[in-house]
Amino acid sequence: MNKYNFIIILAEDICPNLGCYGDPNAKTPNLDKFAKENIKFNYCYSAAPVCSAARTSLNLGMYATTAGVGNHRSFYDLPPQVKNFGKYMQQAGFYTVIGKTDFNFNFEEGAEGGYDAKMTFGSKDTPTFATDIIEKINQAEGKPVFMLQTNASTHQSQYGYTDNTAEHRSSMPRLKEEEHQVRETMEIPGYHFKTAEADEIWAQYHEKMTSMDRMFGEAIDAIKEKGLYDNSIIIFVGDNGHGIPGGKINLWNEGVHVPMLVHVPKEIENQINTYDSPTGKVCDRLTCFIDFLPTALSINKEEIPAILQGKAFLGDKKVDDVKEIYSFGARCDEGFENSRSIHEKDLVYVCDFALSHRKKLNVYQTVQSPWFNRSMIEQGYKHNIDDTDRRALFRQMPRVYEQLFDLKNDENSLENVAKQRPAETLRLRDKMFEYIETYRDDALIEEALMDEFIRETGLTAYEILQNDKYYPVKECIQLWKNGMEGKELDQNVTNPALKLLLTKFMCDKDGSFDKFINDEYETVRVYNAFRIGNTKVVEDVAKITNNYVLAMFILDLMSNTRDERFEEAYRIISKRVYVEKSLIGNARFKAAMDSAVNMIAARIDTTIPEGMSDKELWKEDKWTKTKMVLDALDLQ
């Protein structure tokens, strides 16, 4: 049986802002040509709105939140039955190659971990993107190739740090004058205000897209020259939504809606239902990252294990009838986000499960483009937008349990119609909880508590989530539903996950609820203490905990409220991490801790704790940029 090469090229942090998708700003001739000659998918959604969570889900063929590895830059073990894409393809006889990993699980490098070869990936505008791909294909020794390569030139770290156009363009030496974006004529989406700052950052984003487009074209030309094109399945896709603040990290459409262009050999092209358009063949099947692994198995007539959650769109096991896509938003660095969404073609439903009160930009977004962020805050006040308008994200908006957006009539998701359309809201709410229950998604258990369970039992996060003793998912769903609807809550709960949810809803109504202030689980008693302003309990836990995630959770709660009463807890945690080194996390967690500590010092206007190294301590420019945004929060 002929086995097709299966090549996935991920471009970081992009929405369908390509010419073939109708974007008026786009200068993407190579991708537009590829779309014209192949198949454009209109409704592809990332599993998550941030890179590590998205690519973890892609590699597992299941939502990372089922395995407890959905939080950005977490690092947990997987049980043997949860395998990655590379291992499945090795077993199917493929030579497996990967570029960027950045997985949220303990990944073993080398062939034993599922990938026979590791290739470089980068953010520079260079022809080596194409030659690196061919070099690795040449090492396959006649085997079919499975490749997962990343182009990072569009990553949010590649633009926005300067508002100087010439300085920005200096990072793209091959950008031609005719490829320059004219700032004043940029079309800005309605979820951002039209300002000079918005013109600049959107123009920078699009110029990076043009740079990436060139490298993609060179890669396709090289694959054709090598004679591999006609026997390859090639998928071009964004890894999550765009990196301009208001896009990635959030579950609005711009956080997870990504471009997907697919080349398949002519003899199997009819397996995808398409229709003709001026830009080429188009497919309207709803597609998610977790579909890629089952598709690769299906097209090669391999069995699709029951543990996988995606649905193949090619091969003898393909599924065409997909009515909605489920996505998740989880902790991103130091920001404890926790939300889930259902995306239909015209409707987006989002439910926010975070235990903090406000939604805010994380440190990365704050420091990336403070000049743009500040202009959005100023314009929000000038136009007197409501606090629950998504444009209020820049000034730290209150969390909203449910949001429903009608994209057909509101493409920018500015009007939440959840209350005006109760029947659709209830239908999608029920569908979302059905996914949470079926997938045993970790939406209703706090990461810090799950970490306590892992330490206590020695089980993996996946095994914790599969066990009702630790995660009684049906009871958690019912408690959340009752709390969200304002119903009377049963206070006789014994499970720690249920205690946390009960504390949230009881403290929302009654600031004196202290039932779990002495609970045996640190996460439960810290959260209860924080909600009622009991600084002593929080400080006592900060002095003794070995739970690094819990320490970050405490700092996130502080940062969310800017409550200076908890400054001593902040100093205790900082001293243990940086001076005593008695609270230790792995390198992936450590970067988030550094961000949290620096940001809180800025947010509550206090001094940086002693003990931070030059590498860990923000330089003066980061402080200045951060204060530019934080000061604007108080403009009103």
Side-chain angles (χ1 to χ4, degrees):
M1 174 191 142
N2 178 41
K3 294 194 173 185
Y4 303 108
N5 300 310
F6 202 93
I7 299 171
I8 302 173
I9 296 178
L10 285 163
E12 294 208 269
D13 297 354
I14 65 170
C15 283
N17 299 119
L18 310 176
C20 56
Y21 282 92
D23 191 293
N25 300 316
K27 295 182 180 183
T28 51
N30 294 291
L31 285 160
D32 297 346
K33 180 174 181 285
F34 186 76
K36 184 80 172 176
E37 296 172 350
N38 297 288
I39 300 170
K40 177 182 71 173
F41 280 64
N42 273 336
Y43 299 101
C44 179
Y45 298 90
S46 175
V50 69
C51 58
S52 70
R55 67 184 64 243
T56 294
S57 300
L58 189 158
N59 263 272
L60 298 181
M62 67 165 65
Y63 289 101
T65 45
T66 295
V69 290
N71 292 293
H72 184 52
R73 302 272 159 82
S74 59
F75 195 71
Y76 297 111
D77 292 330
L78 297 175
Q81 65 268 37
V82 179
K83 297 188 292 187
N84 69 49
F85 211 141
K87 286 190 176 181
Y88 283 108
M89 297 304 276
Q90 281 178 331
Q91 291 167 3
F94 282 71
Y95 181 73
T96 57
V97 185
I98 194 165
K100 184 176 181 178
T101 52
D102 195 23
F103 301 139
N104 293 331
F105 55 85
N106 192 355
F107 174 67
E108 183 180 7
E109 298 276 357
E112 296 77 13
Y115 289 94
D116 300 306
K118 184 90 161 54
M119 67 190 300
T120 57
F121 76 96
S123 57
K124 303 302 180 189
D125 182 2
T126 169
T128 60
F129 180 75
T131 56
D132 288 346
I133 288 174
I134 299 303
E135 178 188 330
K136 292 303 178 185
I137 289 174
N138 286 339
Q139 297 173 5
E141 298 181 345
K143 285 185 176 183
V145 173
F146 166 63
M147 178 179 289
L148 179 57
Q149 175 59 321
T150 296
N151 187 302
S153 62
T154 49
H155 188 267
Q156 72 179 100
S157 60
Q158 300 307 302
Y159 57 91
Y161 283 92
T162 177
D163 58 357
N164 183 296
T165 300
E167 185 179 343
H168 159 74
R169 287 177 180 157
S170 68
S171 67
M172 296 169 288
R174 298 197 293 165
L175 192 73
K176 303 168 187 172
E177 186 172 348
E178 61 266 27
E179 294 169 337
H180 291 176
Q181 293 284 345
V182 179
R183 271 55 181 166
E184 296 78 13
T185 63
M186 295 299 296
E187 292 196 23
I188 305 301
Y191 52 85
H192 289 151
F193 294 101
K194 171 76 171 172
T195 65
E197 292 84 359
D199 288 342
E200 179 63 37
I201 199 167
W202 274 97
Q204 291 187 15
Y205 165 65
H206 274 286
E207 287 172 348
K208 286 293 181 180
M209 292 276 273
T210 299
S211 176
M212 177 273 295
D213 174 82
R214 185 182 351 270
M215 287 184 271
F216 176 79
E218 291 166 346
I220 294 300
D221 288 346
I223 290 169
K224 286 179 176 178
E225 188 176 326
K226 182 71 178 172
L228 299 170
Y229 188 73
D230 292 337
N231 196 49
S232 297
I233 294 167
I234 302 172
I235 300 174
F236 169 83
V237 68
D239 72 339
N240 48 249
H242 68 67
I244 301 171
K248 69 182 287 188
I249 302 178
N250 307 290
L251 284 176
W252 295 308
N253 214 43
E254 295 72 27
V256 288
H257 187 207
V258 294
M260 177 177 167
L261 308 176
V262 180
H263 163 74
V264 296
K266 289 295 181 186
E267 63 268 22
I268 61 171
E269 198 175 70
N270 62 0
Q271 291 188 17
I272 299 176
N273 295 331
T274 63
Y275 58 89
D276 292 332
S277 82
T279 59
K281 288 186 172 66
V282 178
C283 177
D284 280 345
R285 179 197 189 271
L286 282 85
T287 310
C288 185
F289 281 14
I290 62 169
D291 295 340
F292 293 177
L293 173 49
T295 297
L297 297 176
S298 174
I299 200 67
N300 288 291
K301 299 190 184 305
E302 299 285 335
E303 286 301 311
I304 299 177
I307 197 170
L308 300 186
Q309 295 169 344
K311 300 177 178 68
F313 56 85
L314 284 170
D316 59 352
K317 302 172 187 67
K318 76 186 184 85
V319 178
D320 291 325
D321 186 22
V322 180
K323 291 183 170 58
E324 73 276 325
I325 297 295
Y326 177 75
S327 295
F328 69 89
R331 179 179 58 75
C332 185
D333 294 323
E334 84 298 342
F336 280 66
E337 289 298 313
N338 186 20
S339 52
R340 302 296 181 268
S341 64
I342 300 285
H343 290 254
E344 296 182 341
K345 289 178 181 177
D346 295 325
L347 292 176
V348 178
Y349 171 84
V350 183
C351 191
D352 195 326
F353 296 101
L355 294 182
S356 58
H357 273 144
R358 290 186 172 269
K359 186 176 178 66
K360 65 183 188 300
L361 298 177
N362 76 345
V363 169
Y364 201 158
Q365 294 174 307
T366 302
V367 175
Q368 174 201 11
S369 52
W371 45 274
F372 166 71
N373 296 336
R374 185 181 176 98
S375 77
M376 293 299 104
I377 295 171
E378 291 172 343
Q379 289 295 313
Y381 287 138
K382 178 181 177 180
H383 291 274
N384 198 30
I385 63 171
D386 190 84
D387 279 346
T388 55
D389 185 310
R390 67 175 285 189
R391 292 171 294 183
L393 169 69
F394 294 89
R395 68 187 193 211
Q396 196 166 336
M397 65 189 291
R399 296 193 181 278
V400 181
Y401 284 139
E402 290 184 302
Q403 297 175 80
L404 179 67
F405 299 105
D406 178 357
L407 299 181
K408 199 169 187 179
N409 299 301
D410 176 25
E411 65 177 353
N412 294 303
S413 303
L414 293 177
E415 184 182 3
N416 178 9
V417 295
K419 291 181 179 177
Q420 292 96 304
R421 295 163 70 166
E424 286 173 309
T425 300
L426 182 59
R427 173 179 66 83
L428 291 168
R429 181 197 302 170
D430 288 344
K431 175 61 68 174
M432 182 198 62
F433 280 122
E434 181 183 320
Y435 275 111
I436 290 173
E437 182 180 338
T438 301
Y439 292 158
R440 298 194 71 89
D441 180 293
D442 65 12
L444 296 167
I445 181 170
E446 182 57 52
E447 182 187 9
L449 177 60
M450 188 166 65
D451 196 278
E452 284 194 73
F453 287 149
I454 291 169
R455 293 164 182 269
E456 177 186 308
T457 64
L459 298 173
T460 63
Y462 176 85
E463 291 163 330
I464 293 292
L465 294 171
Q466 294 295 312
N467 192 328
D468 272 344
K469 177 181 177 182
Y470 306 105
Y471 186 40
V473 65
K474 288 183 181 180
E475 293 177 61
C476 288
I477 288 171
Q478 192 58 56
L479 196 157
W480 186 274
K481 280 184 176 180
N482 291 343
M484 188 169 63
E485 295 168 5
K487 295 180 179 177
E488 194 69 28
L489 300 177
D490 179 7
Q491 297 187 30
N492 296 315
V493 296
T494 57
N495 174 273
L498 290 169
K499 289 178 181 178
L500 274 177
L501 299 181
L502 180 64
T503 299
K504 173 194 164 37
F505 288 111
M506 293 304 296
C507 286
D508 284 349
K509 293 192 297 185
D510 177 7
S512 63
F513 179 83
D514 63 354
K515 182 171 183 176
F516 306 123
I517 204 79
N518 296 309
D519 196 81
E520 63 177 306
Y521 285 92
E522 292 176 341
T523 306
V524 175
R525 66 178 185 266
V526 156
Y527 183 62
N528 195 165
F530 188 90
R531 287 301 307 272
I532 63 173
N534 187 320
T535 58
K536 183 179 186 305
V537 169
V538 176
E539 291 165 13
D540 287 347
V541 172
K543 291 173 183 175
I544 63 169
T545 188
N546 291 315
N547 186 336
Y548 204 84
V549 182
L550 177 58
M552 291 197 300
F553 180 56
I554 293 171
L555 297 184
D556 179 68
L557 291 172
M558 285 183 60
S559 179
N560 202 275
T561 60
R562 300 172 80 178
D563 190 335
E564 297 180 11
R565 291 178 299 170
F566 292 93
E567 184 174 345
E568 182 59 26
Y570 160 71
R571 298 207 166 278
I572 291 167
I573 290 170
S574 301
K575 183 178 180 182
R576 292 190 61 204
V577 172
Y578 299 104
V579 179
E580 299 172 356
K581 302 192 185 306
S582 59
L583 185 57
I584 301 171
N586 66 58
R588 291 175 69 83
F589 285 128
K590 179 64 168 50
M593 177 66 80
D594 294 345
S595 294
V597 168
N598 280 285
M599 177 57 92
I600 289 180
R603 287 184 74 82
I604 64 175
D605 200 22
T606 188
T607 55
I608 283 286
E610 294 179 0
M612 295 188 85
S613 68
D614 288 342
K615 184 179 179 181
E616 295 161 339
L617 185 65
W618 279 0
K619 302 296 185 290
E620 184 62 32
D621 67 322
K622 273 195 178 183
W623 275 100
T624 302
K625 290 175 179 179
T626 302
K627 293 297 286 184
M628 183 189 298
V629 176
L630 295 179
D631 290 347
L633 294 177
D634 301 319
L635 286 177
Q636 191 178 36

